[in-house]
Amino acid sequence: MDHVLIEALEVDTVIGVYDWERTLRQRLRLDLELATDIRPAAERDDIQLTLDYAAISERIGAFAEAHQFALVETFAERLAETLRQEFAIAWLSLTVRKPGAVANAASVGVRITRGQA
């Protein structure tokens, strides 16, 4: 199985457990690894035969805009479900980082893996 990568994608969303966090948009940084077989797309040079990372990135931005969660864990889980369903992704690894959330740490976050490669 081959992997399509989307690295350091930044989106703004309302996320956090504290009241003050619920009043502003915060930046999240995402890394995705999406399993697919790229051979048909490469053979025909046809984007319709692979995972379109531009379309997936756009969908992630729309998801972040439309949803508000307390936990980064919930954001990651729901986003993974959405992407797997809408883009027929059999397996993915998703890392969601929240920069500046903890003093003295560049970022905090979660990494989840869903599906079977």
Side-chain angles (χ1 to χ4, degrees):
M1 192 59 63
D2 306 307
H3 293 183
V4 171
L5 304 175
I6 300 172
E7 297 179 333
L9 179 68
E10 294 185 340
V11 296
D12 293 327
T13 193
V14 176
I15 192 156
V17 297
Y18 301 110
D19 289 341
W20 67 266
E21 290 182 294
R22 313 294 295 156
T23 65
L24 55 91
R25 300 185 76 71
Q26 296 183 71
R27 179 142 301 167
L28 298 178
R29 185 169 297 125
L30 288 68
D31 294 320
L32 293 97
E33 195 170 337
L34 313 166
T36 192
D37 182 354
I38 68 165
R39 290 175 293 186
E43 181 179 310
R44 294 190 183 166
D45 200 26
D46 185 350
I47 196 165
Q48 300 298 319
L49 301 175
T50 191
L51 295 174
D52 182 343
Y53 48 78
I56 292 168
S57 297
E58 185 177 309
R59 180 62 180 105
I60 293 168
F63 178 91
E65 180 73 28
H67 294 87
Q68 298 182 11
F69 301 110
L71 302 177
V72 172
E73 290 85 346
T74 308
F75 180 95
E77 189 66 38
R78 302 278 168 71
L79 177 59
E81 290 171 13
T82 298
L83 295 177
R84 291 190 66 220
Q85 289 175 3
E86 293 183 13
F87 293 93
I89 298 168
W91 176 94
L92 66 76
S93 175
L94 169 62
T95 302
V96 180
R97 292 181 177 88
K98 188 175 177 184
V102 172
N104 300 322
S107 65
V108 297
V110 298
R111 177 174 297 125
I112 65 172
T113 302
R114 298 293 178 264
Q116 296 181 351

